[in-house]
Amino acid sequence: MEEILSAERVSVSYPDSSLGIFAKRKQKLVLHDVSLSIRRREFFGLVGESGCGKSTFGNAVLGLLPFTGSIHIDGHDRNTEARPVFTRLVQAVFQDPLGALNPKKTVGFTMEEPLLINGIGTAAEREQKVCQMLDTVGLDASYRKRYPSELSGGQRQRVCIGAALMLDPKLVIADEAVSALDVSVGSQILNLFREIHRDRELSLLFISHNLNIVYYMCDRIAVMYRGYIVEQGDADDVYQRPLHPYTKLLLSSVPDIGGQAERGRGDAPLETLRAPCSGACCFYHRCPLADERCLSEPQPLLCGNSHLVRCWKAPSSGILQS
């Protein structure tokens, strides 16, 4: 199946502020040669704990951060082609809908603005498309005249989703799009994403720290830890038959979808959460299986049981990627 997103060896660095205001600023590597692809019409999940680099990767795809490596969206190269080319190809829905909306502009203006900027349609045609989009996201046409402060959190997020779809992008990045909403409203937004994905046949990169949600929503999953992809595969394989110790740890710390308590998978020592990465493996300090090889030899992505894993201890049949 043809790919809509292809990322190869993407790395991102931030200025390291931990050294103090008088120290010479150095760059801290946050993403480490991340490679993944998303197929057309695929619902792809990127999961990991806070601070692992999920949003950084999404922002690099959106062109909001400088990066090394290559990112291609629908065959267009982020490194060589002008930014406006990507406006119609990729859009985003962020975690905080109130922060994403201009408090002084009406819902109608916010949703029409992408069309205005790109010179699409007459005033009447733009108004008609705004009304159609409001209906798509579950709001009626009267919401055109409302301001963000007059909306609930779920309604604001629906407006953000509608605005992201106005240019008919081929890829939408949803970055923790339901984490700021209560459970009932969040479930409604998740169902809206599924309906949009089905009806509009677009690709979705769904970024979340919640493995249960990602499993429920996505076709394939990539698990990220400290800027590395440590496991990747079909949602069922990763969720039901995890290979990496970190994935097992994540799964052991969340309730089952059926409502049961912890699964009991994984017993990595949580007290080493903030221990610095040492040697070759980023998970060395938390892994109960670690040995000298993990500390001295770089772990490539390995093919095991039809999905990828970055671990010497996992069942594997060969190196696919360094």
Side-chain angles (χ1 to χ4, degrees):
M1 186 180 294
E2 190 178 354
E3 296 172 352
I4 190 67
L5 171 67
S6 176
E8 297 289 339
R9 302 186 71 89
V10 174
S11 296
V12 175
S13 298
Y14 289 145
D16 190 352
S17 59
S18 64
L19 302 176
I21 61 175
F22 297 110
K24 184 177 180 180
R25 286 298 177 93
K26 296 182 179 180
Q27 295 293 308
K28 181 178 181 180
L29 196 59
V30 178
L31 285 187
H32 303 263
D33 290 339
V34 172
S35 298
L36 60 83
S37 61
I38 298 177
R39 303 161 186 158
R40 292 187 184 276
R41 298 179 294 280
E42 183 176 41
F43 214 126
F44 190 96
L46 183 58
V47 67
E49 60 197 33
S50 297
C52 71
K54 307 184 303 295
S55 296
T56 296
F57 177 76
N59 287 335
V61 173
L62 291 166
L64 301 178
L65 290 174
F67 63 90
T68 60
S70 68
I71 294 175
H72 290 80
I73 303 174
D74 197 27
H76 297 272
D77 190 345
R78 267 279 181 207
N79 288 318
T80 60
E81 299 192 45
R83 187 184 186 93
V85 173
F86 297 93
T87 303
R88 295 194 183 191
L89 292 176
V90 57
Q91 290 288 323
V93 180
F94 295 105
Q95 178 177 357
D96 179 17
L98 184 59
L101 298 172
N102 188 332
K104 296 186 178 180
K105 300 296 183 180
T106 63
V107 167
F109 178 88
T110 296
M111 297 184 69
E112 185 184 3
E113 189 175 25
L115 303 177
L116 280 168
I117 293 173
N118 288 273
I120 298 174
T122 64
E125 290 170 340
R126 291 193 296 269
E127 182 178 354
Q128 182 182 17
K129 185 161 186 177
V130 168
C131 292
Q132 290 173 344
M133 187 59 69
L134 285 170
D135 182 66
T136 297
V137 298
L139 301 173
D140 61 60
S142 66
Y143 281 82
R144 287 181 301 124
K145 299 179 181 179
R146 299 193 188 186
Y147 289 86
S149 60
E150 300 175 293
L151 307 179
S152 67
Q155 291 169 341
R156 292 173 192 144
Q157 196 63 293
R158 289 175 186 273
V159 171
C160 290
I161 293 170
L165 297 175
M166 289 301 290
L167 295 176
D168 297 316
K170 296 185 177 181
L171 172 67
V172 171
I173 299 175
D175 188 357
E176 298 282 8
V178 299
S179 62
L181 306 174
D182 64 47
V183 174
S184 61
V185 175
S187 63
Q188 295 171 17
I189 298 299
L190 291 177
N191 288 331
L192 176 60
F193 273 118
R194 297 195 77 171
E195 291 170 8
I196 290 169
H197 172 251
R198 180 194 64 222
D199 297 341
R200 303 177 76 89
E201 296 188 340
L202 50 75
S203 302
L204 267 153
L205 172 58
F206 192 85
I207 297 173
S208 178
H209 64 275
N210 190 317
L211 257 172
N212 277 344
I213 290 178
V214 170
Y215 171 64
Y216 170 73
M217 297 290 290
C218 299
D219 304 310
R220 287 193 300 145
I221 297 174
V223 181
M224 182 175 282
Y225 181 74
R226 290 197 170 185
Y228 291 90
I229 298 293
V230 296
E231 187 162 358
Q232 180 179 324
D234 292 340
D236 280 334
D237 282 341
V238 173
Y239 194 87
Q240 302 295 344
R241 294 171 291 279
L243 299 178
H244 197 279
Y246 175 62
T247 309
K248 295 177 182 179
L249 176 63
L250 280 181
L251 286 165
S252 72
S253 64
V254 297
D256 217 355
I257 280 184
Q260 298 177 1
E262 294 184 358
R263 293 163 162 251
R265 291 177 177 157
D267 53 359
L270 290 173
E271 66 272 12
T272 59
L273 173 61
R274 297 189 180 276
C277 293
S278 174
C281 180
C282 63
F283 196 61
Y284 178 83
H285 284 288
R286 295 178 69 184
C287 183
L289 305 176
D291 59 19
E292 289 303 314
R293 186 185 189 190
C294 304
L295 187 61
S296 60
E297 294 185 44
Q299 285 80 23
L301 279 175
L302 305 172
C303 179
N305 296 349
S306 78
H307 67 266
L308 308 181
V309 58
R310 192 183 297 275
C311 180
W312 292 125
K313 301 295 184 178
S316 62
S317 59
I319 298 175
L320 290 191
Q321 178 186 322
S322 61

